[in-house]
Structures are given as C-alpha cells and as structure tokens.
C-alpha cells in the first residue's frame, strides 16, 4: 500500500514502504521483550480507552499485568492517560495512543499486514476509507485541545491555564473541550466547548442546544460559563464563540 490513493493494483503494493514497516520497527525497538505491553498497546490502538476494556481486549490480562503495562507505556510517552477536567475529583481515566502515526498504524495497518502481504492492500485501503471520518474525529481532539491551550491568551477567557475534556463512566455527558484554571481538579471552569470536525456540516443550533445541556451537567459550570465551538465547516449557531481550522493553525507557527 504505497499510498492511500487506491491507484495501484494489489500486485504492485510496496510491502516494505515506510507506512507499513515503521510502526513495527518502532515497537520492536521500544519493546524487544515486553510482549504484554505490546498487547496492551494494541488494545488501545484498536480503540479501547478504559482500564477494564483494555484488559479484556488484551486477552483477559489480570489487573496487575495491565497496570504494569500501562505504567511502562505512559513512562515512555507512547500512551497518554487523561482524566476528566472539572471541579470534582474523578478516577475515570481514559487512555490513548499519544503519537499520531502510531495511532493510525495500530488502528489500520498493523492488524492487516497479513492482508497486504497477500497482495490485498486494497482491502486495507477500503477499511480506512470506511472508518476514516469517525477515527479522525476522535484523533483530532487532543490536537485541538493543544492548539487551544497555545492560543489561550488570544482566544480563550482570562484565567484559562489548561484545556481538557470531561466525561463520566456512561459518557453522559461527554464534553470535548473544558477550559479551567488548573487540572485535573479545577477551582474555576472558564469555558465549555464542542468539536465538530465534518466536511459539510457546520456547528448549528441543535449542537448548541446539546452543548448547553451538557454544560448544565458539568461540575463547576453554570449558565454564565462561556461556550465555544470548534468546527471544520463553520458555525451557524448564534451567541457562541467559534474557531475555524485557520484559527487553530496560528497556534503552530512555521518559523
């Protein structure tokens, strides 16, 4: 699979391309003997985010093995452990692959290398196309939060010293963007926001109504807490601050 364009027939797929082999080489270098850590990493890359589901997806590893593997992965900065940001303490840790390339490789490439080796890279490409929108929506969230943190002085309310997200065990609610004075237990919530990263659907009044409902469920927020929409295709809702991809790019100067 030399590129995701789909123009090459299966017989011409480059089985030694960097897209295919770099992920495996990275894992071999980082974990020459830690088989369980690689298994846990694969479970997270497959989309599992909670401790229990990661252990289950990793073949039913016992909690001690999962804990040791997660500690190793986070210490090497291959996995990030996130906590909900609000004024109340929480133990609902969520785990994610920290490196964008490795996140993509573990989701789409690594598990399907046997198909590529059989000359059926076209099937892998079709799987990527089918799942791309939903995968991208989740993958872009930490990038947007980092961008907002870098832009805090220019675009976010005064006193926003950290940017995170909020969720409960049941994901009711699950809020994409939380601004606060400190993390993980804030004293003041400065911002509540939503990310809508679709090509042809702007953030609209229905999204705003949902965000207002979620704000009412967030510990530390009230009716006066500012709202923010970050949308790829613009915003048609009124009475809400919104940022575009162009705004976010200013957080990453090229010189």
């Amino acid at each position: 699979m030399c590129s995701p364009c789909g123009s090459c027939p299966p017989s011409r797929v480059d089985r030694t391309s960097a897209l295919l082999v770099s992920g495996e080489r990275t894992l071999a270098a980082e974990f020459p003997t830690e088989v369980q850590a690689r298994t846990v990493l694969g479970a997270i890359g497959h989309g599992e985010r909670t401790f229990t589901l990661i252990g289950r997806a990793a073949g039913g590893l016992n909690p001690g093995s999962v804990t040791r593997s997660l500690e190793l992965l986070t210490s090497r900065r291959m996995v990030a452990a996130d906590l909900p940001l609000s004024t109340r303490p929480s133990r609902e840790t969520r785990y994610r692959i920290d490196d964008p390339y490795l996140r993509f490789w573990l989701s789409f490439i690594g598990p399907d290398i046997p198909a590529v080796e059989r000359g059926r890279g076209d099937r892998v490409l079709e799987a990527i196309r089918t799942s791309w929108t939903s995968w991208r929506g989740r993958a872009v969230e930490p990038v947007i939060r980092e961008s907002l943190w870098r832009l805090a002085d220019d675009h976010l309310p005064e006193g926003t010293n950290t940017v995170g997200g909020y969720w409960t065990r049941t994901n009711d609610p699950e809020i994409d963007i939380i601004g606060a004075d400190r993390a993980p237990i804030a004293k003041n919530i400065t911002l509540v926001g939503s990310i809508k990263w679709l090509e042809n659907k702007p953030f609209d009044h229905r999204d705003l109504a949902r965000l207002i409902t979620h704000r009412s469920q967030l510990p530390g927020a009230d009716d006066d807490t500012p709202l923010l929409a970050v949308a790829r295709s613009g915003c048609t809702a009124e009475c809400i601050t919104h940022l575009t991809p162009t705004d976010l790019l200013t957080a990453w100067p090229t010189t």
Side-chain angles (χ1 to χ4, degrees), residues 147-170:
S147 300
L148 292 174
W149 181 81
R150 289 169 175 261
L151 295 171
D153 292 341
D154 297 323
H155 292 281
L156 304 187
E158 184 178 355
T160 303
N161 299 319
T162 186
V163 178
Y166 178 78
W167 54 87
T168 63
R169 181 170 298 182
T170 61

Side-chain angles (χ1 to χ4, degrees), residues 30-148:
E30 289 286 342
F31 308 109
T33 59
E34 295 93 342
V35 176
Q36 289 183 343
R38 288 190 58 170
T39 301
V40 168
L41 187 68
I44 301 171
H46 187 66
E48 305 300 347
R49 296 188 293 164
T50 67
F51 184 92
T52 300
L53 293 180
I54 290 168
R56 188 177 302 166
L61 290 178
N62 66 68
S65 296
V66 176
T67 297
R68 287 191 294 273
S69 296
L70 289 172
E71 289 175 349
L72 176 63
L73 292 167
T74 53
S75 69
R76 296 187 182 180
R77 297 186 178 180
M78 302 191 77
V79 167
D82 300 321
L83 283 168
L85 179 57
S86 77
T87 56
R88 292 181 185 172
S90 173
R91 299 178 63 185
E92 297 298 324
T93 305
R94 297 280 175 87
Y95 299 91
R96 57 181 170 84
I97 307 299
D98 205 22
D99 178 75
Y101 163 73
L102 191 59
R103 188 184 310 133
F104 177 85
W105 190 90
L106 287 166
S107 297
F108 296 114
I109 307 300
D112 288 323
I113 283 181
V116 177
E117 292 175 340
R118 293 197 305 271
R120 295 313 306 267
D122 57 320
R123 292 186 176 180
V124 181
L125 179 59
E126 183 58 31
I128 294 172
R129 285 173 170 163
T130 300
S131 304
W132 177 251
T133 299
S134 60
W135 181 89
R136 180 188 61 190
R138 181 68 68 181
V140 78
E141 289 181 7
V143 179
I144 290 175
R145 292 184 190 121
E146 173 70 14
S147 300
L148 292 174

